[in-house]
Amino acid sequence: MNKKTKGKVLLVYPNCEGSGGIPNGLALLSGCLKTAGFEIKCFDTTFLNSPPLTFFYREKHGGMMKAEYKKFWGEWTPELAKQIPDLFKKTIEEFQPDLIAVNIIDVTYNFSKKLLNGINKKYGIPVVAGGPTPTLAPELFDHDDCFDIICVGEGEDALVELANSVVEHKNYSHILNLWVKNNNEIIRNKLRPLKNLDEISFQDWSIFDERHYYKPYCGTFRRTGFFELARGCPFNCTFCCTANLRKRYDGLGKFLRQRSIDKTFDEICSIKDNYKLELVFFIDDNFLGMSEERFNYFCEQYKKRINLPYYIQTRAETVREDYIKKLLETNISTVAIGIENGNEEFRKKIMNRTMSNAVLEKAFNIVHKYKIRSTANFIIGMPYEDEKTFYDSIRLIQKIKPSSYSINYFQPYQGTKMREIAIELGFIPKDHIINESNTCLDMPQFKRERIIHCYENFKKYIENEIPMPKE
């Protein structure tokens, strides 16, 4: 951080479902702001608002091995949640920020509004909301008085520019990527060109509770970091917002951007040295989609510079035997492949995922041939889905035998095609907001109680504790 502090920014992480892990986006924003000379503090509700619900769900349904979380994340009681409003106000009064910035995803939208209600008016501090939901549904915030500014799109440059303008008492109403409320008017500025990933500052972990450094993995907790080698995805799955983002950024630069391997490894080494890193998660949507030259350089340098166990996620179509064989030399720990649904026709017609079951089986067979841990991800409760497709998923898991698997309820996220489908079919109202990670659809062909039954008994079906119907 620069010796002279320009001003103070309070970042708010309104995590309302309790599981730890460094939020990559906020860590990057803090890094950018500190590089620009600002003092940063984070108000974080992760270990206050609820027990680690995501951890509980994944442990129950096969997504992870059992691990003792209390030693690393602490004991939660309802009394902690009751303290949040007073702790937030105390933090503001003691830190005295010039700007408050909150990161919002769909499930934290209502929680964030309640937390920030009246804060800007009481303290005279502008509040900016950014993240996936403000980017994909900025109109949702038009009448929310607790937010003065909405950041639409990537915030690394926009937030720094905004913070500079606030502390210098300059007009910030025309900053690109920002929607600014000005009396009864909303100034909707255009998006700025997409940024070169190599120009973004390293993550700043210092603002987070140390409990976030730990993530459950293979029956224990390890100090884990999340890093990106690329941002964006070449595919257009209907449950994902990628197609929407690509359309919004049309003409503003290359949507799928790669970060230099050397720059990424510089960041990992910095975190490794300063925070005793034990495990690396690459958050790229399609890790193995890189060119052969880039892949070979990654393998060579990772082994030489990092050599920690690491986790990747990729598409089945990109799993090549020569790549997987070479990964063995680099301390690879897990290859995650999204299946989402075991029925080929459903995947193709409803999810816009055109890979066949044969391609999926081949990908897992290659990973298993080299004795690398695999994980398969599934979604349940999507529009048009029925109980038969759920059993197709069970049969496919039993056939490919991944090392681990996880199941998640379909969530109609803002900006996704599948949300539009759910609205068109009358399964959710147009203004539906996700408040918790639970199923929200009740369909004639797949009733809510059956969706919940299948979700809750996912592991039991796979292990034949509950037999599947013959028809």
Side-chain angles (χ1 to χ4, degrees):
M1 191 176 83
N2 296 341
K3 289 182 180 179
K4 184 179 179 182
T5 299
K6 285 184 179 178
K8 299 178 180 181
V9 179
L10 178 64
L11 298 179
V12 180
Y13 182 34
N15 185 358
C16 55
E17 294 194 333
S19 293
I22 295 288
N24 177 269
L26 273 184
L28 287 173
L29 290 176
S30 182
C32 292
L33 287 162
K34 281 194 173 180
T35 299
F38 290 91
E39 184 180 350
I40 312 299
K41 191 175 184 65
C42 182
F43 183 79
D44 173 15
T45 61
T46 299
F47 304 107
L48 297 172
N49 191 65
S50 80
L53 299 178
T54 305
F55 170 78
F56 292 163
Y57 298 151
R58 288 179 62 82
E59 188 179 63
K60 179 177 181 180
H61 302 124
M64 63 177 63
M65 295 166 63
K66 288 190 176 297
E68 178 48 56
Y69 74 92
K70 292 180 183 177
K71 177 182 175 182
F72 299 93
W73 286 348
E75 183 84 59
W76 181 83
T77 69
E79 292 303 313
L80 291 171
K82 294 175 185 177
Q83 298 172 22
I84 291 174
D86 288 338
L87 287 173
F88 187 41
K89 290 171 185 174
K90 182 181 178 183
T91 300
I92 293 170
E93 289 163 5
E94 291 181 351
F95 185 57
Q96 297 186 329
D98 300 287
L99 176 69
I100 296 174
V102 56
N103 179 274
I104 298 177
I105 59 176
D106 286 21
V107 75
T108 66
Y109 171 69
N110 282 324
F111 178 69
S112 299
K113 284 206 303 180
K114 184 178 179 181
L115 178 65
L116 289 152
N117 184 36
I119 291 294
N120 50 0
K121 293 178 175 61
K122 180 176 180 178
Y123 295 103
I125 302 170
V127 174
V128 56
T133 305
T135 293
L136 295 161
E139 298 86 357
L140 186 64
F141 297 78
D142 282 358
H143 303 292
D144 293 336
D145 293 339
C146 54
F147 306 114
D148 305 290
I149 308 146
I150 306 302
C151 182
V152 181
E154 295 175 347
E156 287 95 352
D157 285 343
L159 187 57
V160 170
E161 195 173 337
L162 172 62
N164 277 320
S165 296
V166 168
V167 299
E168 294 168 7
H169 305 289
K170 292 181 178 178
N171 186 345
Y172 51 76
S173 61
H174 298 292
I175 294 176
L176 295 179
N177 284 34
L178 299 186
W179 286 22
V180 181
K181 296 177 183 178
N182 186 5
N183 297 320
N184 295 322
E185 179 189 11
I186 299 177
I187 301 169
R188 295 173 167 86
N189 294 299
K190 295 179 180 179
L191 288 171
R192 62 184 67 213
L194 289 165
K195 189 175 178 67
N196 182 336
L197 298 183
D198 285 346
E199 296 174 2
I200 298 174
S201 299
F202 292 170
Q203 296 177 52
D204 170 31
W205 282 23
S206 68
I207 63 169
F208 297 105
D209 187 315
E210 189 172 355
R211 286 175 287 179
H212 275 298
Y213 303 166
Y214 292 94
K215 176 179 171 54
Y217 186 75
C218 293
T220 187
F221 276 71
R222 305 190 191 189
R223 294 170 78 92
T224 304
F226 299 85
F227 304 92
E228 60 181 350
L229 277 165
R231 189 179 290 184
C233 178
F235 299 98
N236 293 307
C237 301
T238 57
F239 60 88
C240 177
C241 63
T242 292
N244 189 315
L245 290 173
R246 185 183 288 107
K247 184 178 179 181
R248 285 171 183 257
Y249 275 109
D250 185 39
L252 293 172
K254 191 175 180 181
F255 179 70
L256 178 56
R257 288 157 292 159
Q258 293 182 329
R259 190 183 186 200
S260 78
I261 288 169
D262 289 333
K263 180 84 171 184
T264 305
F265 287 0
D266 287 345
E267 180 183 42
I268 296 174
C269 285
S270 174
I271 299 291
K272 179 182 176 183
D273 293 342
N274 292 317
Y275 294 95
K276 299 177 183 176
L277 193 64
E278 296 175 312
L279 178 69
V280 172
F281 263 59
F282 286 106
I283 61 175
D284 305 33
D285 292 310
N286 186 30
F287 184 91
L288 294 179
M290 64 178 83
S291 70
E292 192 164 344
E293 181 182 6
R294 181 174 166 87
F295 178 76
N296 288 337
Y297 187 73
F298 166 86
C299 292
E300 172 195 316
Q301 294 299 312
Y302 192 89
K303 183 178 180 181
K304 188 183 297 183
R305 298 187 60 188
I306 314 297
N307 204 33
L308 290 173
Y310 67 100
Y311 177 112
I312 64 170
Q313 51 195 14
T314 199
R315 293 266 301 205
E317 302 95 320
T318 64
V319 176
R320 295 169 39 174
E321 185 161 1
D322 57 336
Y323 275 24
I324 297 299
K325 184 177 181 180
K326 197 169 183 67
L327 287 179
L328 274 180
E329 304 169 9
T330 65
N331 209 3
I332 181 72
S333 180
T334 298
V335 176
I337 300 172
I339 295 177
E340 317 311 350
N341 189 281
N343 184 287
E344 276 187 30
E345 185 178 6
F346 184 87
R347 282 199 311 271
K348 183 177 181 180
K349 289 185 177 180
I350 308 302
M351 306 182 75
N352 196 29
R353 291 175 66 83
T354 57
M355 79 282 283
S356 66
N357 279 5
V359 168
L360 286 163
E361 290 172 39
K362 182 181 177 183
F364 278 92
N365 286 339
I366 291 171
V367 174
H368 296 159
K369 178 179 177 179
Y370 293 96
K371 296 180 171 55
I372 297 172
R373 181 178 181 270
S374 65
T375 189
N377 302 316
F378 291 84
I379 301 172
I380 187 173
M382 293 172 278
Y384 292 113
E385 187 181 2
D386 57 26
E387 204 161 330
K388 178 183 178 299
T389 65
F390 170 77
Y391 297 126
D392 288 338
S393 295
I394 297 297
R395 292 185 187 95
L396 185 58
I397 296 175
Q398 291 174 336
K399 190 170 187 179
I400 63 177
K401 296 180 172 60
S403 311
S404 70
Y405 41 80
S406 68
I407 186 167
N408 294 288
Y409 285 123
F410 161 68
Q411 301 291 343
Y413 290 117
Q414 301 284 342
T416 63
K417 179 63 178 176
M418 200 168 278
R419 176 187 172 89
E420 295 174 12
I421 293 171
I423 292 170
E424 288 168 9
L425 294 174
F427 295 145
I428 58 170
K430 190 174 182 180
D431 60 354
H432 176 82
I433 300 293
I434 301 167
N435 283 312
E436 60 178 339
S437 297
N438 203 335
T439 186
C440 57
L441 270 58
D442 191 0
M443 301 176 286
Q445 82 286 358
F446 204 178
K447 300 299 290 181
R448 187 173 188 274
E449 61 266 23
R450 290 306 298 172
I451 295 173
I452 293 172
H453 164 82
C454 291
Y455 173 84
E456 290 291 336
N457 294 287
F458 182 59
K459 188 176 181 182
K460 290 181 179 179
Y461 276 111
I462 292 170
E463 296 177 353
N464 291 315
E465 287 184 40
I466 299 178
M468 286 185 289
K470 292 184 179 179
E471 295 295 332

